[in-house]
Amino acid sequence: MVYYKTDEEIELLRQSNLVVCKALALVGSMIRPGISGAEIDKAAEELIRDHGASPSFKGYQGFPGSLCVSVNDQVVHGIPTKDQIFEDGDIISVDCGAYLNGFHGDSAFTFPVGEVSEEVMELCRVTNTSLYKAVDAAVVGNRLGDIGFVVQQYVEREYSYGIVRELVGHGIGKELHEAPEVPNYGKRGRGAKLKHGLVIAIEPMVNLGRKEVRTEQDGWTVYAKDRQPSAHYEHSVAVLKTGTITLSDHSLIEEELEKNENVQFVGVKAEMA
Ligand code: MG
Ligand code: MG
């Protein structure tokens, strides 16, 4: 069952997502070779709690972290640890959720560490751009398949990357994961119609190589079966008659990345606007 949100609920969702993006911006300011997943996880959790919110992921089905921290060939759901030391040339996919005033925010960004190969930087840029193309397709009157179609068309047809099929975007609100599922592949004009008040998290997960994934023995970490790098960007958006609103604000992250000498800039928002 899809829960359509009122204007008041959408404002609360925007506030939850603001906390999420402040936490991701803090992560963006910290990213450098030598720092660990545990360090960014601790800093993000403190920021979330300082805002009177709680980390959505911590304890979710037993997940131990406040962030999901997925390095290189890890796609999503990586567990942040102190042994997970970031190295020059890595890409770090960081997914964050925050629960505030009864509603969850959810957003993700892939950060390059130091000097990353042009091939992998392009994977990040294309995945990020595919997210904005998907957001542009998430309008009243379109269908869920239209969102997946534009991602698949761009990422698989134009770039021959692999889109992960096993994990998808989702409705978001009082629950972290609500109906409907939002696949990153699909056919134009298929699937449920997007109606006023729908709030969804759109999150393309794109593999440099093949689309197949596996899960580590820890029961959480999803990785690319061919062990090639993978990128992940996510926005929570509200679909409204007056136009779709992006509730998560990556400009906060992009501002920190521009200041951080240890990170090559991968923002695309300015280009797309
Ligand atoms: Mg997420
Ligand atoms: Mg999500």
Side-chain angles (χ1 to χ4, degrees):
M1 154 141 204
V2 177
Y3 293 95
Y4 296 94
K5 275 71 180 184
T6 65
D7 290 352
E8 292 73 23
E9 290 172 331
I10 286 166
E11 174 53 26
L12 293 175
L13 280 155
R14 197 186 59 78
Q15 290 174 21
S16 306
N17 276 289
L18 182 59
V19 175
V20 168
C21 289
K22 283 182 176 177
L24 288 173
L26 176 61
V27 168
S29 74
M30 296 173 72
I31 291 281
R32 60 177 167 76
I35 199 168
S36 72
E39 284 171 84
I40 61 167
D41 184 65
K42 181 169 180 282
E45 179 171 354
E46 281 175 6
L47 183 143
I48 290 167
R49 295 198 188 280
D50 284 348
H51 284 76
S54 56
S56 300
F57 301 168
K58 198 158 201 174
Y60 183 84
Q61 295 178 359
F63 188 78
S66 294
L67 301 175
C68 294
V69 180
S70 309
V71 180
N72 296 334
D73 61 310
Q74 297 175 349
V75 179
V76 287
H77 303 166
I79 298 170
T81 69
K82 63 178 179 4
D83 302 324
Q84 192 185 37
I85 310 283
F86 306 156
E87 294 177 19
D88 190 49
D90 284 347
I91 56 169
I92 317 295
S93 296
V94 180
D95 197 343
C96 182
Y99 184 69
L100 179 67
N101 296 321
F103 288 87
H104 291 277
D106 188 8
S107 191
F109 200 93
T110 297
F111 299 94
V113 181
E115 289 291 315
V116 172
S117 73
E118 180 46 37
E119 184 186 36
V120 176
M121 284 303 290
E122 182 166 73
L123 170 73
C124 293
R125 280 194 299 267
V126 169
T127 306
N128 199 0
T129 301
S130 78
L131 171 59
Y132 287 96
K133 287 178 180 285
V135 171
D136 285 345
V139 293
V140 168
N142 265 3
R143 292 178 181 272
L144 280 171
D146 294 315
I147 298 175
F149 174 79
V150 295
V151 176
Q152 189 174 15
Q153 190 71 17
Y154 181 59
V155 166
E156 286 194 342
R157 305 275 144 70
E158 285 188 43
Y159 283 90
S160 305
Y161 296 140
I163 292 170
V164 174
R165 303 297 201 270
E166 288 83 349
L167 298 143
V168 295
H170 50 92
I172 183 165
K174 289 179 179 168
E175 302 293 332
L176 180 61
H177 296 120
E178 297 184 355
E181 292 193 340
V182 184
N184 298 300
Y185 56 93
K187 294 202 167 73
R188 222 180 329 209
R190 300 280 182 87
K193 236 180 196 172
L194 309 180
K195 294 184 198 162
H196 177 80
L198 178 72
V199 179
I200 48 175
I202 304 174
E203 48 180 317
M205 287 152 262
V206 179
N207 296 346
L208 182 67
R210 297 183 57 83
K211 65 182 184 297
E212 286 77 19
V213 295
R214 292 287 182 270
T215 304
E216 292 281 7
Q217 299 227 323
D218 63 18
W220 283 105
T221 312
V222 176
Y223 63 94
K225 189 188 169 204
D226 65 9
R227 295 289 187 182
Q228 293 214 66
S230 182
H232 177 216
Y233 293 82
E234 177 178 25
H235 269 312
S236 294
V237 304
V239 178
L240 303 175
K241 278 183 286 195
T242 47
T244 294
I245 302 172
T246 304
L247 300 169
S248 40
D249 182 3
H250 283 187
S251 70
L252 300 175
I253 306 167
E254 294 182 0
E255 280 165 26
E256 290 302 326
L257 296 186
E258 280 176 303
K259 287 187 268 179
N260 185 339
E261 292 169 1
N262 299 294
V263 176
Q264 289 164 271
F265 186 65
V266 287
V268 295
K269 200 178 177 203
E271 287 173 29
M272 297 293 291

